[in-house]
Amino acid sequence: MTRTSVFLIVDAGRQDYVRPDSMPFLHGLAQQSLTGSMVSPPGFAQRTAFFTGVHPDVSNNLSAYVYDPENSPFRWLRKLGPLPNVVKPYKAFVPARRAIKHITKWVSDSYHTDPAWIPPRYAPFFRLCEDSKPVHDPGALGRTSIFDLCREHGLTYTYRAHPVSGDDDKIHASLVRDLSAGKDYRLYVAQFSIMDQQGHKHGPFADYIQNDCLAELDRKIKEVHGALQDGYSDFDLFVCADHGMAPVEQRVDIQKALRKLPLTPAKDYVVFVNSTLAVLWYQNERARREIEAALPSIPGGRPISDEERRKRRIPTSRQWGDRMFAAHPGTLFWPDYFHVKDSVIKGMHGYLDKTAEQYGMAVLTRSEGIAPGGFEPRSLVDVFPTLCDLLGVPVPEGQEGTSLLAKEPHAARKLVTA
């Protein structure tokens, strides 16, 4: 193998982390590279944007779960009556959550059966979306992916991400080993998750993040770059974050606010609480009237109109909600359906109204050299055509990004960040 391309995803790698004091190697590399910041599309399906180059209203991937009562793998929970409702999002109930996961796999034969911390009364209304199968499987993302293109053009690739490939240390060790040996992969895709894992726990400005975590990440990237130089005569290294991270300043209990209304959960309404976006489905007109009247008085967020959904490229079909309620930056909807309630969350991402601290890092370098320069914030959909350029494969019709290597000025649709 004479050439390889490494796409290294830094989960929650804020663009302003790339500083000489915090990440001296990556900062130095950026001075000789194409560098800038990336902005996530709305929602929580960054991998679809990365790997297919389309926005959520085209991919129909917005979040990990989608409203689909008829095809929910958790339908069996209805047969247990009120019993599953004793399962709460506390560490003490982890065994019960795992039991639901394994029983669901057994009774539904679904690939991915993680119930997250969706309250059991609501779980039968949902199924997995982006994670319904491994993202690199044929047709997994509903659009032509970079992995589909690799198969089509006979290019070898490897995909390494937590939890399938282990933690950051295991991913780093295997990546450095294979790069140093010049393994026969035309594309390496790997993800380091330390900034997301620790950023949620400590917050993006904590000393532990700014010193220890960034230094460790910088060391790993330096060793990946060194292994690339050892194993290949020609290479590309594209370091890119899926999103940034903002500090949590207040918590708002959406479910508690809804329970104050004269409505019955799972009978009159269904709610899915992401950390920064609550989505509602009305089961009758009374629920619609009561909740629509109450939403403006709930602190820390605002209702999102269908017009705004269209403007932001958010799907407007009912499976993605009758109404969305978006958190203001710094607000955490808590408890949510993805974290144990007795944990501490000090950092969060996924806000519709983007601030600079939610922008992700991007550094692209090539062994033969690249004209150094910076670029204005770009959408994650621009990653896909960039990878196509690095691999030398044609960009499929229908994708919406513009390659970072394009000679023409950026022509993609203007980012909606606020």
Side-chain angles (χ1 to χ4, degrees):
M1 175 66 66
T2 59
R3 186 174 194 91
T4 195
S5 298
V6 176
F7 179 46
L8 188 58
I9 303 168
V10 178
D11 199 351
R14 288 172 50 133
Q15 193 274 336
D16 59 5
Y17 284 161
V18 186
R19 306 187 308 269
D21 61 315
S22 58
M23 302 188 75
F25 173 76
L26 187 59
H27 180 269
L29 188 66
Q31 305 312 300
Q32 312 163 41
S33 308
L34 189 59
T35 185
S37 56
M38 308 301 293
V39 183
S40 296
F44 309 91
Q46 287 84 16
R47 287 174 297 175
T48 300
F50 267 148
F51 300 137
T52 69
V54 296
H55 291 273
D57 59 347
V58 173
S59 68
N60 206 36
N61 278 357
L62 183 75
S63 184
Y65 295 87
V66 65
Y67 183 84
D68 190 357
E70 293 183 1
N71 298 297
S72 172
F74 307 109
R75 293 192 309 274
W76 66 273
L77 285 169
R78 292 194 178 107
K79 299 178 180 179
L80 301 182
L83 181 62
N85 292 328
V86 302
V87 180
K88 306 295 182 182
Y90 290 95
K91 292 176 184 175
F93 287 92
V94 167
R97 175 179 178 267
R98 289 175 177 166
I100 292 175
K101 175 179 180 178
H102 292 299
I103 293 173
T104 300
K105 189 176 183 67
W106 176 58
V107 300
S108 69
D109 198 31
S110 293
Y111 159 74
H112 197 309
T113 59
D114 188 351
W117 282 109
I118 305 172
R121 65 165 66 92
Y122 294 134
F125 290 91
F126 299 101
R127 64 166 172 81
L128 269 294
C129 185
E130 187 185 60
D131 287 326
S132 61
K133 60 175 68 174
V135 295
H136 53 86
D137 274 11
L141 298 175
R143 308 284 297 191
T144 300
S145 73
I146 197 67
F147 307 109
D148 294 327
L149 288 178
C150 283
R151 283 184 286 267
E152 180 182 340
H153 294 277
L155 303 179
T156 54
Y157 72 85
T158 175
Y159 179 81
R160 309 176 191 200
H162 175 80
V164 176
S165 304
D167 59 16
D168 281 10
D169 289 340
K170 291 181 179 178
I171 292 171
H172 167 256
S174 68
L175 187 59
V176 168
R177 181 185 63 245
D178 289 353
L179 290 172
S180 297
K183 286 293 184 70
D184 187 22
Y185 292 120
R186 183 61 183 86
L187 173 66
Y188 289 83
V189 177
Q191 178 171 310
F192 291 154
S193 301
I194 185 173
M195 304 314 301
D196 187 75
Q197 294 167 352
Q198 299 303 321
H200 285 308
K201 183 177 180 180
H202 299 280
F205 301 132
D207 288 343
Y208 174 62
I209 296 292
Q210 296 292 325
N211 300 322
D212 301 70
C213 293
L214 287 177
E216 175 67 9
L217 177 61
D218 195 52
R219 178 187 67 82
K220 284 183 167 69
I221 295 174
K222 180 179 181 179
E223 292 181 4
V224 167
H225 184 263
L228 259 172
Q229 292 178 314
D230 291 342
Y232 300 87
S233 58
D234 298 298
F235 63 82
D236 313 301
L237 175 60
F238 187 10
V239 180
C240 185
D242 52 355
H243 53 73
M245 180 77 72
V248 171
E249 298 167 354
Q250 69 167 331
R251 289 166 173 75
V252 173
D253 191 336
I254 293 291
Q255 297 177 76
K256 182 178 180 181
L258 293 173
R259 286 196 297 270
K260 292 180 180 179
L261 302 177
L263 301 171
T264 303
K267 180 180 179 182
D268 294 318
Y269 69 89
V270 174
V271 61
F272 195 101
V273 184
N274 290 289
S275 309
T276 55
L277 186 68
V279 186
L280 291 143
W281 291 265
Y282 305 130
Q283 305 301 301
N284 52 59
E285 280 303 313
R286 184 168 68 94
R288 182 185 298 274
R289 290 194 303 271
E290 292 282 352
I291 293 176
E292 289 288 322
L295 285 179
S297 64
I298 298 177
R302 61 185 181 85
I304 303 299
S305 67
D306 284 350
E307 180 182 0
E308 183 174 351
R309 282 169 69 165
R310 286 189 288 270
K311 180 180 177 182
R312 291 184 178 275
R313 310 294 308 276
I314 298 172
T316 56
S317 62
R318 188 169 189 258
Q319 65 179 169
W320 292 112
D322 293 321
R323 176 66 68 209
M324 291 182 171
F325 189 74
H328 297 319
T331 297
L332 173 68
F333 291 154
W334 190 255
D336 64 12
Y337 293 176
F338 293 95
H339 301 92
V340 182
K341 189 176 180 181
D342 42 354
S343 61
V344 177
I345 303 295
K346 295 184 177 180
M348 190 46 65
H349 52 83
Y351 296 99
L352 283 190
D353 299 321
K354 306 294 185 187
T355 56
E357 62 192 1
Q358 295 179 63
Y359 293 0
M361 64 176 68
V363 177
L364 173 58
T365 188
R366 313 189 80 178
S367 57
E368 65 270 29
I370 191 171
F375 53 83
E376 295 297 316
R378 301 277 290 263
S379 171
L380 287 188
V381 300
D382 293 344
V383 167
F384 176 72
T386 303
L387 292 176
C388 290
D389 276 355
L390 296 180
L391 296 176
V393 298
V395 179
E397 292 185 7
Q399 74 85 38
E400 302 181 277
T402 301
S403 172
L404 300 181
L405 299 173
K407 295 180 181 180
E408 297 298 322
H410 181 50
R413 293 173 178 154
K414 183 178 180 181
L415 293 174
V416 178
T417 59

